[in-house]
Amino acid sequence: MLNFKRFLWLALFSLTVSYAQKPKIWTSADIHDAVQKLNVLGSVLYVAAHPDDENTRLISYMSNHVKARTAYLSLTRGDGGQNLIGPELRELLGVMRTQELLAARRVDGGEQRFTRANDFGYSKHPDETLTIWNKEEVLGDVIWAIRNFKPDVIINRFDHRTPGRTHGHHTSSAMLSMEAFDLSNDKNSYANQLNLTETWQPKRIFFNTGWWFYGSRENLEKADKSNMLDFDIGVYYPSKGMSNNEIASLASSQHLCQGFGRLSTRGTQSEYIEFLKGEPMTNGDVFDGIDISWNRIEGGNAIADILKPIEVNFNYTDPASHLPELLKALRLIEQLDDAHWKVIKSKEIKAIIQACAGLYLEASASEPTAVPGSTLDLNIEALNRSEANIILKSIKLTTGTRAIEKDLTLEHNKRENIKEELNIPKNWNITSPYWLNSKGSLGMYKVDKQKLIGEPETPRTVRAIFQMEIAGEPLDISKDIIYRYSKPDEGELYRPFEILPEVTAKLSEKVYIFDSDQQQDVE
């Protein structure tokens, strides 16, 4: 008999294969956009209840127009929803909808967060919702998200003042967000979190209102908007060749299992947010009174002096010409006392440096899967497509204990193919969604490790760390091990490299129907 838990793992594994992504291709315009974003130190957290509740128009606007770091906190993974494209329901659907959210964020430029709340299905009232959910745990998870993401501004998708008017999960998300706004800076609230993070106070919180809240577009036109901010979310981005609302349409269309595929729209469109709480604004800027430049942190002025000229005088025909200054800025960022922005901006500028150098690094396993204790071939590709002086000093695999010395100069546009062995330790964990590793309840996932709470996926543990030297400066670049292959009818494909249990099985049919209580053979 096939154990249900093992069967669930196998089904989850089959889902992860479908969502593997090719490496991002950077154009010069993409690099310049990233430099602009590098020079903005502001954050927005958007809060709602389910995958597909998010307003992709506003997330895209904040990420691509304002250039702020923007995240969507979905309290659930949508296990209780429908599925228009397949048979997957409950846990399998939650995994699928998680991947659809991540696909949407890759389009609109946002990040993704979750809580441990389980979508148990439709709820008529937040009182019911917060009884089935463990309110204290979900509230703690919202506070955990705020303390880690450190948003300057929070925007709620739903209104906390209208219980019973909409799905109980919806209103609950807003109620918990309002409560967390007041508690996230209280050292006595969820004090155990402060062993791993620190308190944080967002500047202000808003409600993303619209005509649907007022009953009609006409009623919205007549409404008092003195306490609202109005954004034209139809702004056009020449560097992308698309308007913000076109990007938003593409992002929301990633929610395929919920039937959210839609036509793109263009042109001026108004989006409103209502001020709820926090420091009042003296102008129409959501970041009023918040310095979102490098000036907000000690030591940032020297970094701005390097990066601002790159943004203003960007060399689209030879981005590699900026490498010396970018590397100098990286060294200054790594010396910052502000640990939060140091981590974020170090990651951003390393990606920009790699893109400017036209540096391609890939580690592809010879097989898509392996079991703990096994060994397989690893194909490594390294390519320098710029005139910069780049040396591959060594490669360190996270499954090993020592670096593989190379000291290989990467000549201009000359591909280097390196063969190594990938040894998977016997005690290595198998690939699985962390929130399903332990049995939860109707309303809650069970996650024992505090650091994992809120993460969209289980962090990949099999990686290659390329220790490079670019223009004389050391730079470590980490890459997940992947599996790259091709099919005659689909072309080049990528899938994540997975660690499987020693014994696995695949059922020959998706559905089995038993018309009696007699034993039947299952292949």
Side-chain angles (χ1 to χ4, degrees):
M1 186 174 107
L2 188 61
N3 179 273
F4 173 74
K5 185 175 181 181
R6 179 60 52 82
F7 172 72
L8 176 61
W9 183 90
L10 292 168
L12 294 172
F13 165 70
S14 69
L15 283 175
T16 63
V17 172
S18 304
Y19 289 94
Q21 296 296 314
K22 290 185 177 181
K24 176 179 171 59
I25 297 174
W26 293 72
T27 66
S28 290
D30 292 329
I31 300 173
H32 184 247
D33 283 348
V35 172
Q36 289 180 313
K37 200 175 186 76
L38 183 64
N39 283 325
V40 175
L41 283 72
S43 300
V44 177
L45 183 65
Y46 196 88
V47 181
H50 309 110
D52 74 35
D53 281 345
E54 85 275 36
N55 185 341
T56 54
R57 298 182 301 274
L58 199 50
I59 291 175
S60 178
Y61 181 89
M62 291 296 173
S63 178
N64 295 300
H65 182 71
V66 180
K67 305 293 185 185
R69 182 174 178 241
T70 308
Y72 173 40
L73 174 61
S74 176
L75 266 60
T76 77
R77 295 176 185 266
D79 299 49
Q82 59 187 342
N83 187 357
L84 298 185
I85 61 174
E88 297 84 8
L89 293 173
R90 294 305 306 160
E91 291 90 349
L92 298 180
L93 181 60
V95 173
M96 176 181 286
R97 295 187 73 182
T98 295
Q99 291 300 322
E100 289 182 341
L101 267 178
L102 291 172
R105 299 293 80 79
R106 285 190 289 270
V107 174
D108 60 32
E111 300 177 31
Q112 188 59 51
R113 297 288 187 276
F114 293 96
T115 74
R116 288 171 291 175
N118 194 342
D119 178 4
F120 55 83
Y122 186 77
S123 178
K124 294 181 179 180
H125 198 277
D127 289 348
E128 177 189 49
T129 297
L130 296 174
T131 299
I132 296 176
W133 289 352
N134 183 319
K135 181 194 172 183
E136 292 306 309
E137 288 187 359
V138 182
L139 175 60
D141 291 356
V142 178
I143 291 172
W144 173 254
I146 293 172
R147 287 173 171 174
N148 282 288
F149 189 74
K150 292 181 168 50
D152 298 304
V153 172
I154 296 176
I155 302 174
N156 292 340
R157 182 57 171 144
F158 301 105
D159 188 7
H160 67 288
R161 299 161 294 194
T162 56
R165 181 174 173 176
T166 181
H167 196 321
H169 296 182
H170 292 170
T171 310
S172 295
S173 72
M175 293 169 65
L176 292 171
S177 179
M178 290 291 288
E179 195 169 347
F181 180 87
D182 293 329
L183 295 177
S184 58
N185 198 37
D186 181 357
K187 65 181 180 180
N188 296 315
S189 293
Y190 298 90
N192 60 307
Q193 295 181 2
L194 301 180
N195 296 321
L196 299 171
T197 187
E198 58 188 4
T199 58
W200 178 256
Q201 181 58 60
K203 186 72 91 174
R204 52 186 66 99
I205 187 169
F206 298 88
F207 161 46
N208 183 196
T209 188
W211 67 264
W212 46 270
F213 176 74
Y214 289 89
S216 69
R217 298 183 190 277
E218 292 73 22
N219 289 344
L220 174 60
E221 288 299 319
K222 299 174 186 175
D224 178 10
K225 300 183 181 65
S226 58
N227 206 33
M228 298 183 192
L229 297 182
D230 177 9
F231 305 105
D232 177 10
I233 47 83
V235 62
Y236 177 68
Y237 305 124
S239 64
K240 301 179 184 300
M242 287 191 293
S243 61
N244 186 76
N245 35 16
E246 287 178 285
I247 294 173
S249 295
L250 290 172
S252 63
S253 292
Q254 303 305 308
H255 297 290
L256 297 177
C257 71
Q258 304 301 293
F260 264 53
R262 62 187 178 94
L263 292 172
S264 59
T265 58
R266 287 156 288 278
T268 296
Q269 292 181 13
S270 291
E271 191 72 46
Y272 296 94
I273 59 173
E274 176 191 353
F275 173 73
L276 296 176
K277 189 187 294 187
E279 187 173 308
M281 296 163 290
T282 58
N283 58 36
D285 183 4
V286 69
F287 287 106
D288 180 33
I290 307 170
D291 190 344
I292 60 172
S293 72
W294 279 105
N295 294 329
R296 83 178 290 172
I297 59 176
E298 186 177 353
N301 289 337
I303 299 169
D305 289 343
I306 297 172
L307 295 179
K308 270 298 180 182
I310 296 176
E311 178 183 336
V312 174
N313 303 302
F314 187 73
N315 188 338
Y316 287 89
T317 58
D318 184 18
S321 64
H322 298 298
L323 285 173
E325 294 299 291
L326 287 169
L327 288 163
K328 188 185 301 183
L330 172 61
R331 298 285 90 89
L332 292 177
I333 292 172
E334 291 175 333
Q335 296 169 20
L336 290 172
D337 291 331
D338 190 310
H340 176 70
W341 285 111
K342 177 167 67 174
V343 170
I344 294 167
K345 294 304 177 180
S346 292
K347 182 179 178 180
E348 289 181 13
I349 197 170
K350 284 182 178 181
I352 292 170
I353 289 169
Q354 187 177 341
C356 283
L359 183 59
Y360 187 87
L361 299 171
E362 179 182 276
S364 176
S366 56
E367 300 291 337
T369 63
V371 300
S374 63
T375 298
L376 62 163
D377 293 331
L378 188 64
N379 305 306
I380 296 172
E381 180 178 336
L383 178 62
N384 169 21
R385 292 172 287 194
S386 72
E387 298 292 346
N389 181 25
I390 300 178
I391 301 173
L392 173 58
K393 302 295 290 184
S394 64
I395 303 167
K396 189 175 188 311
L397 303 178
T398 54
T399 54
T401 57
R402 63 178 183 84
I404 305 166
E405 300 296 331
K406 291 298 175 186
D407 205 27
L408 177 64
T409 298
L410 301 182
E411 299 179 17
H412 171 64
N413 215 30
K414 181 183 177 183
R415 183 179 64 189
E416 298 288 349
N417 290 108
I418 303 167
K419 302 290 186 181
E420 295 292 343
E421 279 192 345
L422 178 62
N423 299 300
I424 308 299
K426 290 184 178 180
N427 62 348
W428 211 259
N429 291 331
I430 64 170
T431 307
S432 63
Y434 71 87
W435 63 96
L436 298 177
N437 284 339
S438 299
K439 183 175 176 57
S441 65
L442 174 63
M444 297 295 296
Y445 301 117
K446 188 176 187 295
V447 181
D448 296 321
K449 293 184 179 179
Q450 180 68 42
K451 283 189 174 182
L452 282 177
I453 293 175
E455 290 294 323
E457 296 180 292
T458 306
R460 295 278 164 179
T461 57
V462 185
R463 300 189 305 277
I465 300 170
F466 295 86
Q467 297 172 317
M468 313 297 297
E469 186 179 284
I470 301 178
E473 292 288 336
L475 183 70
D476 287 357
I477 299 173
S478 179
K479 295 286 186 180
D480 292 336
I481 305 294
I482 51 89
Y483 176 65
R484 181 165 65 98
Y485 63 109
S486 67
K487 288 186 176 181
D489 57 340
E490 296 185 59
E492 184 178 59
L493 298 169
Y494 286 78
R495 58 186 278 183
F497 177 70
E498 313 281 4
I499 307 298
L500 275 64
E502 291 187 11
V503 178
T504 62
K506 181 179 180 182
L507 301 181
S508 60
E509 302 295 336
K510 292 183 178 179
V511 178
Y512 290 90
I513 298 176
F514 295 82
D515 58 1
S516 71
D517 61 356
Q518 299 303 306
Q519 178 177 312
Q520 295 189 36
D521 292 334
V522 174
E523 181 180 344

